């Protein structure tokens, strides 16, 4: 059974629309992350959350908003979508505050903006 | 902040040959390092994690070396086989108040039968 669930697996969106990418983890972790992977930037850090609080934000655009409704959830809302947002978005989790804690990654959401 | 440089970006070897991927980092206070493998269309899977007290780690078909003096981490796949064809990423754990990874840009390895 997958320990981190990302939904949907594939997503096609129209330019200017809004989408939410879902991430749930069942590992008992208290830190969660979003990364983006595209041809231009292989693996780009976006956000980190610890105990449902934003710890680090490396995303320049406010169009990207993480949402943590439960401690094992970290969704990503993207508004005013652009073709440049097309990428695979990976969610990951780990134990917060532990430098040696490895990340477990979800299977990703492949977003195509047309 | 921490900078991680990974080389080479692409690597093609014949089956049975070795393949070496290297990452250099800048923060001398980094202590934890990770290697991930990503097969085409799949997610990232942890290969190995390396700590400051360990210089050499061996796994199934690969060796990881950590040289703290030179701030270099390397992954050596011995006797590569086609199943090793994938993208490999190194990561360095960085303390920003909450630990996060800084990833290398990745190496796309192709093993030719």
């Amino acid at each position: 059974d997958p320990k981190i669930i990302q939904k949907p697996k594939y997503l096609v969106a129209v330019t200017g629309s809004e989408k939410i990418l879902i991430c749930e983890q069942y590992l008992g972790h208290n830190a969660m992350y979003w990364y983006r992977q595209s041809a231009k930037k292989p693996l780009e850090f976006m956000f980190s959350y610890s105990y449902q609080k934003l710890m680090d934000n490396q995303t320049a655009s406010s169009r990207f908003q993480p949402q943590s409704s439960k401690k094992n959830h970290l969704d990503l809302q993207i508004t005013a979508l652009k073709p440049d947002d097309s990428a695979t978005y990976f969610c990951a989790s780990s134990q917060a505050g532990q430098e040696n804690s490895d990340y477990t990654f979800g299977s990703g959401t492949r977003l195509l903006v047309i | 902040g921490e900078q991680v440089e990974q080389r080479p970006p692409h690597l093609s070897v014949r089956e049975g040959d070795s393949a070496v991927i290297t990452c250099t980092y800048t923060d001398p206070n980094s202590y934890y390092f990770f290697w991930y493998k990503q097969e085409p269309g799949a997610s990232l899977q942890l290969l190995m994690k390396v700590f400051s007290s360990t210089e050499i780690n061996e796994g199934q078909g690969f060796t990881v070396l950590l040289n703290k003096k030179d701030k270099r981490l390397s992954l050596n796949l011995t006797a590569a086989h086609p199943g090793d064809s994938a993208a490999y990423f190194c990561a360095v754990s960085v303390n920003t108040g909450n630990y996060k990874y800084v990833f290398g840009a990745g190496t796309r390895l192709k093993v030719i039968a």
Side-chain angles (χ1 to χ4, degrees), chain A residues 12-33:
Chain A
V12 179
V14 175
T15 297
S17 66
E18 172 183 316
K19 293 294 180 187
I20 296 180
L21 280 55
I22 305 294
C23 179
E24 309 168 6
Q25 55 91 4
Y26 298 94
L27 293 159
H29 288 162
N30 40 40
M32 296 184 72
Y33 313 86

Side-chain angles (χ1 to χ4, degrees), chain B residues 63-97:
Chain B
T63 303
V64 171
L65 274 73
L66 173 62
N67 182 328
K68 289 203 71 188
K69 177 174 176 289
D70 294 340
K71 295 196 283 293
R72 182 184 300 122
L73 177 72
S74 64
L75 172 68
N76 185 346
L77 284 81
T78 54
H81 56 86
D84 293 328
S85 295
Y88 292 83
F89 294 88
C90 63
V92 178
S93 182
V94 177
N95 187 356
T96 59

Side-chain angles (χ1 to χ4, degrees), chain A residues 9-109:
Chain A
K9 192 172 178 67
Y10 302 98
L11 186 56
V12 179
V14 175
T15 297
S17 66
E18 172 183 316
K19 293 294 180 187
I20 296 180
L21 280 55
I22 305 294
C23 179
E24 309 168 6
Q25 55 91 4
Y26 298 94
L27 293 159
H29 288 162
N30 40 40
M32 296 184 72
Y33 313 86
W34 278 102
Y35 282 81
R36 176 170 54 195
Q37 187 177 45
S38 66
K40 294 179 183 177
K41 294 188 179 181
L43 206 56
E44 178 188 8
F45 172 79
M46 299 181 74
F47 300 97
S48 69
Y49 265 63
S50 177
Y51 296 96
Q52 291 189 268
K53 292 184 179 178
L54 179 66
M55 298 300 293
D56 199 352
N57 177 0
Q58 296 292 328
T59 303
S61 173
S62 60
R63 295 187 298 109
F64 295 84
Q65 291 292 328
Q67 299 170 345
S68 182
S69 59
K70 300 178 186 178
K71 64 179 182 180
N72 67 326
H73 281 230
L74 186 65
D75 300 336
L76 181 64
Q77 180 186 40
I78 313 174
T79 58
L81 279 160
K82 302 177 179 180
D84 266 357
D85 297 332
S86 298
T88 299
Y89 291 80
F90 287 103
C91 175
S93 69
S94 72
Q95 287 293 358
Q98 293 185 14
E99 190 176 17
N100 63 345
S101 176
D102 54 271
Y103 286 15
T104 300
F105 282 84
S107 56
T109 292

Side-chain angles (χ1 to χ4, degrees), chain B residues 43-112:
Chain B
S43 187
L44 286 84
Q45 300 294 326
L46 179 69
L47 266 184
M48 180 169 283
K49 51 184 174 182
V50 183
F51 306 141
S52 61
S53 61
T54 306
E55 291 189 346
I56 298 176
N57 273 274
E58 291 184 341
Q60 286 191 326
F62 60 88
T63 303
V64 171
L65 274 73
L66 173 62
N67 182 328
K68 289 203 71 188
K69 177 174 176 289
D70 294 340
K71 295 196 283 293
R72 182 184 300 122
L73 177 72
S74 64
L75 172 68
N76 185 346
L77 284 81
T78 54
H81 56 86
D84 293 328
S85 295
Y88 292 83
F89 294 88
C90 63
V92 178
S93 182
V94 177
N95 187 356
T96 59
N98 187 51
Y99 296 107
K100 74 173 188 186
Y101 284 6
V102 176
F103 279 90
T107 296
R108 276 131 190 93
L109 171 67
K110 184 175 181 181
V111 181
I112 304 165

